[in-house]
Amino acid sequence: GLPVNEAIGKTDLEVFGTAGDTMMADDRAILETGDPIHRDEVIMSSEGQPRHCVARKSLLQGNDGNKYLIGSTTDVTHVREMRAEFEADMASMLDSIGMGVVLANEGAEVLFINSAFHEIWGTTPDNFSDGCQFRALLDVNRKNGKTLIYSVSVLSSGKRMVTYFDISEQKQREDALAEAVERTKLAEEILNALDQGILVKDEALEIIFANKRFAELHKAEPDDFMGKRASEYFGEEAEHFENSER
């Protein structure tokens, strides 16, 4: 906010106050080494608001033999605000999906952990937060009986995104179904081993099971009776019997 004519002839210390100390130290280093400097800075505006800037300084050797410093300052406050807003939106979106997500940089330093990850593994942000090493997450006690599917995706700049999907409930249902099937097979084997004919009907009086002995008595195969009514095989007598079953 300082007019150009007032800035000319002044040092960084006179223009920026104590913040100018760092700037002048950078200037001396460039004059001594010739190496350019690229630095993020926070400068107070004339309204007293902090402005995030990117400062670049380099050495220029003049035709007169003197050394000069060339510098530029770019205000990136709006860009940083947009980036922060975008990152907040991304974090909110990743928190809303039903799978655990971990983002890590090329040095395996964790950049982000969503809430679903903590729910899956029983951890909290107090245990593991942004900045911890991914190895620490691998050391979590995972003997919790859960069944997971995980995948690793390669992102830009060497970053990795690891996702975890909890399929424990689905696995339990599959296991329960498999157990029910095994029990049904066992029941069929027991019924087929009996010397008596066995016929089982559903509430619609359709045959859902006939053991081998029943089929042998009627010179048929057990599957021949499936889904049919007894009256289709045994005529009016069976139909009368079915009426009494209702």
Side-chain angles (χ1 to χ4, degrees):
L2 188 68
V4 174
N5 62 333
E6 293 184 22
I8 293 176
K10 291 184 170 60
T11 65
D12 287 336
L13 188 61
E14 293 172 317
V15 174
F16 300 106
T18 55
D21 286 336
T22 301
M23 300 177 185
M24 294 183 68
D26 288 344
D27 294 346
R28 296 188 189 96
I30 295 172
L31 290 171
E32 291 176 3
T33 66
D35 296 330
I37 288 179
H38 180 175
R39 185 189 298 278
D40 293 334
E41 297 178 341
V42 178
I43 299 176
M44 301 302 293
S45 68
S46 57
E47 293 82 18
Q49 298 298 319
R51 307 299 297 180
H52 295 273
C53 302
V54 175
R56 299 177 179 86
K57 295 180 180 180
S58 59
L59 182 66
L60 175 65
Q61 189 75 42
N63 293 329
D64 57 3
N66 292 322
K67 295 179 179 180
Y68 299 92
L69 289 174
I70 302 295
S72 67
T73 302
T74 305
D75 189 343
V76 295
T77 304
H78 182 60
V79 175
R80 286 175 63 96
E81 290 173 348
M82 290 181 61
R83 178 179 177 181
E85 183 178 342
F86 172 76
E87 290 177 350
D89 289 342
M90 286 294 296
S92 178
M93 181 189 71
L94 292 175
D95 267 337
S96 68
I97 62 177
M99 64 177 66
V101 178
V102 177
L103 297 178
N105 61 21
E106 60 181 349
E109 181 181 3
V110 173
L111 304 175
F112 173 80
I113 304 174
N114 76 339
S115 57
F117 177 91
H118 293 299
E119 292 175 5
I120 290 173
W121 296 119
T123 59
T124 68
D126 293 333
N127 302 131
F128 303 102
S129 59
D130 301 352
C132 71
Q133 286 294 309
F134 186 73
R135 179 65 190 176
L137 301 181
L138 298 179
D139 291 337
V140 173
N141 181 9
R142 300 185 175 186
K143 296 180 181 179
N144 53 13
K146 292 188 176 182
T147 303
L148 303 174
I149 296 176
Y150 79 94
S151 65
V152 181
S153 302
V154 180
L155 306 179
S156 61
S157 303
K159 293 190 287 291
R160 298 287 190 274
M161 179 174 71
V162 185
T163 57
Y164 299 85
F165 187 66
D166 189 350
I167 60 169
S168 300
E169 291 185 5
Q170 178 182 343
K171 184 65 165 57
Q172 289 171 359
R173 288 194 297 270
E174 291 176 352
D175 291 344
L177 177 60
E179 183 178 355
V181 170
E182 287 300 319
R183 289 182 177 180
T184 300
K185 289 181 179 179
L186 178 60
E188 289 182 2
E189 290 175 0
I190 293 173
L191 293 175
N192 282 326
L194 296 177
D195 195 41
Q196 295 83 18
I198 302 294
L199 192 68
V200 181
K201 302 177 184 178
D202 62 15
E203 60 183 8
L205 301 182
E206 292 183 353
I207 299 171
I208 59 174
F209 176 77
N211 72 345
K212 291 182 179 180
R213 182 54 179 162
F214 184 90
E216 289 172 357
L217 292 172
H218 298 284
K219 297 180 173 53
E221 294 295 329
D223 289 343
D224 295 339
F225 299 97
M226 298 297 292
K228 296 183 174 61
R229 301 170 68 103
S231 57
E232 295 180 43
Y233 283 91
F234 309 113
E236 294 181 1
E237 183 179 351
E239 186 174 355
H240 175 73
F241 187 71
E242 286 180 347
N243 291 332
S244 67
E245 289 178 322
R246 293 192 181 91

